[in-house]
Structure formats: C-alpha cells, structure tokens
Amino acid sequence: MTSVTVKYFAALREAALIPEETIHTEASTYRGLYRELTTQYGFSLPEDAIRVAIDDDFADLDDDLKSGVTVVFIPPVAGG
C-alpha cells in the first residue's frame, strides 16, 4: 500500500472540504488515485481536464505512483 499527501485546490477543495490529507492507496498510478478520490468525494471534473504535480513538478497521470510524495491535482483555471 502506498501513502501520499494530497493537496486540494479550487473545485476539488470545495468537493473534498479539506485542504489536504494523507492517503493510503492501492492505486498504481496518479490516474488511479484520482479515480479513487473521485469516488470518495464525487469530483465532477473529468480526468482529461486535470493536471497533476508531484513534489512541485508536473507529471503525467499515468506515471507510477510513488510513496511519500505530495500530489496536487490541478483543476483548469478560468478567468479573463
């Protein structure tokens, strides 16, 4: 089982109702982790609209999940 810290911003934070948490997961990729969190919190943003950062660097949703990292799922930014 892998343990990671997940930070939430914008719409994801509004859905999760917490700024961050430590997750113990069976997911093998960041996409799998996002799917687990979507099931848990009812995130409405599709996977293709999300970017992921691992320890402050952008990564791919299909990268292998590593234990002990900080994961930020970044929703699309709106504005003008």
Side-chain angles (χ1 to χ4, degrees):
M1 186 167 280
T2 303
S3 177
V4 297
T5 299
V6 180
K7 292 186 176 183
Y8 301 103
F9 295 99
L12 301 178
R13 185 174 180 163
E14 291 173 12
L17 301 176
I18 53 175
E20 69 178 71
E21 66 182 326
T22 299
I23 301 284
H24 303 282
T25 178
E26 297 287 336
S28 60
T29 65
Y30 298 101
R31 183 181 306 276
L33 175 61
Y34 184 74
R35 288 177 180 166
E36 285 183 5
L37 295 171
T38 295
T39 299
Q40 181 174 348
Y41 294 120
F43 295 156
S44 60
L45 295 171
E47 294 169 18
D48 60 353
I50 296 294
R51 301 221 33 210
V52 62
I54 311 304
D55 291 338
D56 299 325
D57 291 319
F58 284 110
D60 190 281
L61 282 172
D62 293 318
D63 287 349
D64 292 336
L65 193 102
K66 296 178 181 168
S67 189
V69 298
T70 298
V71 179
V72 179
F73 291 108
I74 304 166
V77 177

